[in-house]
Amino acid sequence: MKKVLILIGIIAVGICLYTCATFKLKDDSLEKIETIENQWSMTFPNHKTLLYQKDTVEGFHRDGNQYFVYSLDEIDSHDFSSFQKQPSPTLENHIKSLWHDDGLDETVQPDFNDDYTYYIVSKDEFNHLYVLLFENQRKLYIIHEKI
């Protein structure tokens, strides 16, 4: 009887931990994108739906990459007026390399065969933010790279 109670207790604790972790993950995406907006003094559109998120940040120095892919409900051209309109093969190769090196889902990888605009901000040589807008697809990619 004692073994059964211990087993039930372990299962209950496991369920509680799983439930807490699940709820935390749901709120985590909002917290992370808000942190990026605050760190980089940027504002992203409100009418967006998160399609994909991956965070490879780890360690004491918090090195790694954060990836966000959003579907945009509306595209306001004023929000993206400072974006570069000319394609950048260097940027495309770098993003493809990051995506591949971090083992991300290739089905949500940016399709550079389509027209896009982009914005790059660097705080220093180790901290970069890439924002890519694929207007025809209504997708916004936000990639924070911290080396």
Side-chain angles (χ1 to χ4, degrees), residues 117-136:
T117 58
Y118 64 93
Y119 188 75
I120 302 172
V121 186
S122 298
K123 285 190 176 181
D124 51 42
E125 60 186 289
F126 305 109
N127 207 0
H128 312 285
L129 184 69
Y130 307 98
V131 183
L132 295 94
L133 172 66
F134 290 82
E135 196 166 344
N136 293 338

Side-chain angles (χ1 to χ4, degrees), residues 2 19 34 54 57 61 77 90 99 135:
K2 187 176 180 181
T19 303
E34 288 174 356
K54 180 73 175 187
V57 174
H61 295 286
S77 60
T90 305
W99 210 272
E135 196 166 344

Side-chain angles (χ1 to χ4, degrees), residues 16-126:
C16 288
L17 290 175
Y18 175 78
T19 303
C20 291
T22 302
F23 285 118
K24 178 62 179 160
L25 287 175
K26 288 181 183 175
D27 295 334
D28 206 22
S29 64
L30 291 175
E31 290 174 12
K32 288 181 181 179
I33 200 65
E34 288 174 356
T35 300
I36 288 175
E37 287 179 325
N38 291 335
Q39 286 176 345
W40 294 90
S41 300
M42 295 186 76
T43 304
F44 299 116
N46 290 328
H47 303 288
K48 61 188 179 299
T49 304
L50 183 64
L51 299 175
Y52 182 78
Q53 175 185 346
K54 180 73 175 187
D55 190 346
T56 67
V57 174
E58 59 185 37
F60 178 73
H61 295 286
R62 305 288 298 148
D63 295 346
N65 304 318
Q66 293 176 305
Y67 301 86
F68 301 90
V69 181
Y70 289 99
S71 172
L72 299 177
D73 299 333
E74 300 173 9
I75 297 178
D76 184 0
S77 60
H78 297 290
D79 292 339
F80 306 106
S81 60
S82 60
F83 280 39
Q84 298 291 321
K85 295 178 181 13
Q86 295 295 325
S88 170
T90 305
L91 172 67
E92 293 174 19
N93 290 334
H94 185 66
I95 297 299
K96 288 176 185 177
S97 175
L98 287 175
W99 210 272
H100 176 72
D101 292 348
D102 284 336
L104 303 182
D105 185 353
E106 292 182 15
T107 61
V108 291
Q109 181 176 352
D111 180 8
F112 291 107
N113 293 321
D114 201 358
D115 292 335
Y116 67 95
T117 58
Y118 64 93
Y119 188 75
I120 302 172
V121 186
S122 298
K123 285 190 176 181
D124 51 42
E125 60 186 289
F126 305 109

